[in-house]
């Protein structure tokens, strides 16, 4: 039995539905379609699935999914908390389960009707007393408001500007313009559009915010040994980590010594400690982008630059194809689809298979991150 | 708090604080016009949000220490629609984070207003500035007393 997760498992199948503002199917149906597509991609019969992992703010559960797709007896299932912070942890949990013999074929998935479904922040009945009592009455209602607060402080402390945030939005949009399945495929962005767009929570404008999407994705994880017999080149799970920093408060991380170093820093320390390579060896990254300021913060947290240098890192086309670190090559949550970051996982797999619509030549290593600003997770993939 | 949060929703529709067991004393002191923060009785450290146990010395004994009510703006946002209707009606308004003079690592969310009962958009946005000195006042909202912040006269 493996004492480490390093390269012990691989992602061997990926699947997705269409992405749109509105899809007629239910979340459950979308989930089943994405999962079956991922299993077909892997060449594995659904009856062999014995592990599931998902993350919260997901309506479909493993009971419904397992019986619909005709899974076998399931011996491992987990659901990770904190919405988008849990995306990569699904892969980490399944890798751990498969590597330790708890299961043999794991499926992680995300199905979401965000475009046509309700927005979580509109729910006043479920006003969580902690920490909502300290923020919501004052009109800090939406994730954009909560992150906007950290973004303003970040801009103030480090001289970051809206142009830096635009660099992020632009890189994602450029990649989406190359990806026919992206929601923003035929919708180019210009600096003028960005600078004159309406504010959502000043300093964040419309284009600093992710899309609202209906859609589903899934991936399949098996042991490295079995992966060699699957249809596609295995994409190994090299390292996986979760991060809940000491004295962290979630999205409203306002009550500790250093609100601008978030869960990414914690996850990153563990991720790199287990890895055979470092940030300088990452060919391409898929960085959770519910909001543009999460990119400079994550670039710092995951060690691509020093503290306070994340905004400057985005200059000179660094995030574009051919730049220092191409990111979100399918368009990300800002421009491909916002499905709580699962599209970033599948895009990472596409890059290492060499089949991305914005392929980084000879990419062999990819960092994928989950939502920064909440208890998070990340994985390193290698081919 | 004795009133049910939904029943106590004020006429203007702003959300009321829904205190939990740990947070209730904050709002009870606020009702007396006092800004107090939980402190460990044993090691003396302040902590926010309130919680059952001191993260430094693990003591379960705590008291509520009165703050001067002065602080500085650490950051702010100006939310624009789409918002809940009562907030949309005042948008764009400001939400500020105030680092307390007595405990800079504690940053209370609130609103900068021209007087305790003034609307959330009453301050000229040009006057919003990180580092600006502010002090607390309290306003009545649906039977509760909630903090608001005024700029110090410079
Ligand atoms: Zn103590």
């Amino acid at each position: 039995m493996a004492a480490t997760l390093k390269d012990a498992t691989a992602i061997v199948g990926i699947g997705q539905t269409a992405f749109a503002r509105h899809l007629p199917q239910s979340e459950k149906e979308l989930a089943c379609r994405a999962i079956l597509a991922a299993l077909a991609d892997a060449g594995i019969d659904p009856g062999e699935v014995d592990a599931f992992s998902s993350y919260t703010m997901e309506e479909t559960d493993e009971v419904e999914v397992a019986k619909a797709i005709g899974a076998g007896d399931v011996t491992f299932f987990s659901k990770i908390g904190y919405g988008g912070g849990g995306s990569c942890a699904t892969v980490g949990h399944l890798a751990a389960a498969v590597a330790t013999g708890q299961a043999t074929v794991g499926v992680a998935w995300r199905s979401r009707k965000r475009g046509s479904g309700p927005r979580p922040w509109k729910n006043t009945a479920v006003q969580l007393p902690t920490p909502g009592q300290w923020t919501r009455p004052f009109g800090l209602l939406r994730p954009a408001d909560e992150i906007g607060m950290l973004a303003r402080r970040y801009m103030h402390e480090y001289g970051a500007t809206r142009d830096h945030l635009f660099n992020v939005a632009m890189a994602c949009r450029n990649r989406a313009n190359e990806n026919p399945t992206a929601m923003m495929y035929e919708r180019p962005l210009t600096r003028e559009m960005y600078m004159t767009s309406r504010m959502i929570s000043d300093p964040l404008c419309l284009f600093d915010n992710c899309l609202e999407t209906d859609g589903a994705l899934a991936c399949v994880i098996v042991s490295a040994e079995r992966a060699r017999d699957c249809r596609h080149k295995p994409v190994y799970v090299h390292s996986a980590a979760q991060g809940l920093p000491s004295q962290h408060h979630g999205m409203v991380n306002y009550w500790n010594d250093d609100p601008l170093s978030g869960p990414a820093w914690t996850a990153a320390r563990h991720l790199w400690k287990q890895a055979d390579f470092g940030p300088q060896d990452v060919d391409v990254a898929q960085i959770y982008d519910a909001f543009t300021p999460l990119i400079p913060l994550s670039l710092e947290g995951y060690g691509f630059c020093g503290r306070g240098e994340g905004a400057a890192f985005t200059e000179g086309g660094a995030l574009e194809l051919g730049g220092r670190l191409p990111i979100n090559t399918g368009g990300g949550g800002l421009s491909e689809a916002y499905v709580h970051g699962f599209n970033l996982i599948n895009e990472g797999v596409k890059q290492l298979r060499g089949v991305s619509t914005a392929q980084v030549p000879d990419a062999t290593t990819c960092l994928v991150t989950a939502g920064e600003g909440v208890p998070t997770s990340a994985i390193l993939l290698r081919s | 708090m004795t009133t049910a949060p939904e029943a106590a929703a004020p006429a203007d529709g702003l959300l009321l604080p829904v205190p939990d067991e740990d947070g209730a004393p904050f709002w009870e002191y606020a009702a007396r016009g006092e800004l107090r923060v939980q402190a460990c009785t044993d090691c003396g450290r302040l902590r926010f949000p309130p919680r059952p146990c001191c993260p430094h010395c693990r003591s379960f004994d705590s008291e509520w220490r009165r703050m001067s009510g002065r602080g500085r703006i650490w950051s702010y946002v100006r939310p624009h629609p789409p918002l809940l209707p009562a907030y949309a009606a005042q948008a764009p308004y400001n939400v500020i984070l105030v680092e307390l003079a007595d405990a800079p690592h504690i940053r209370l969310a609130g609103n900068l207003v021209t007087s305790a009962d003034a609307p959330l958009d009453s301050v000229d946005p040009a006057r919003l500035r990180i580092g600006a000195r502010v002090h607390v006042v309290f306003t009545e909202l649906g039977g509760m007393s909630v903090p608001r912040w005024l700029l110090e006269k410079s």
Side-chain angles (χ1 to χ4, degrees), chain A residues 15-75:
Chain A
Q16 69 184 58
T17 65
F19 302 131
R21 189 68 190 254
H22 176 75
L23 293 175
Q25 300 93 337
S26 68
E27 276 188 5
K28 199 192 301 183
E29 179 177 339
L30 293 170
C32 293
R33 287 186 181 279
I35 291 169
L36 291 174
L39 288 162
D41 183 57
I44 293 175
D45 186 86
E48 285 197 65
V49 174
D50 56 5
F52 285 100
S53 188
S54 62
Y55 46 119
T56 55
M57 302 176 81
E58 167 69 50
E59 300 301 322
T60 55
D61 65 31
E62 47 281 281
V63 171
E64 295 300 319
V65 166
K67 70 185 179 191
I69 67 158
D73 289 344
V74 176
T75 56

Side-chain angles (χ1 to χ4, degrees), chain A residues 119 121-125 127-142 144-153 156-157 198-203 247 249 253-260, chain B residues 6 14-20 23-24 26-27 48-51 55 64 73-84 87 93-97 99 105-111 120 130 141 146-148:
Chain A
R119 295 178 184 135
W121 59 264
K122 280 198 173 170
N123 192 338
T124 56
Q127 228 213 105
L128 296 178
T130 308
Q133 64 186 312
W134 310 116
T135 55
R136 283 175 64 81
F138 309 109
L140 207 58
L141 299 175
R142 307 160 297 184
D145 305 317
E146 296 168 346
I147 291 294
M149 200 65 97
L150 295 178
R152 168 102 56 199
R153 181 69 193 190
H156 172 80
E157 277 194 28
R198 66 189 170 91
M199 284 289 168
I200 299 296
S201 195
D202 188 345
Q247 295 299 311
H249 300 279
N253 191 38
Y254 307 145
W255 306 297
N256 56 34
D257 290 337
D258 187 10
L260 295 181
Chain B
E6 292 305 315
L14 296 181
L15 296 174
L16 286 180
V18 183
D20 61 2
F26 178 95
W27 301 107
F48 190 90
R51 66 204 78 160
W64 285 77
I73 296 178
W74 186 82
S75 189
Y76 63 94
V77 290
R78 297 185 67 232
H80 292 240
L83 290 156
L84 296 172
Y87 293 88
Y93 54 89
N94 69 71
V95 191
I96 61 174
L97 280 184
E99 53 180 354
H105 68 289
I106 294 175
R107 304 171 190 87
L108 298 181
N111 308 101
L120 303 187
I130 288 178
L141 195 66
V146 302
R148 294 279 188 258

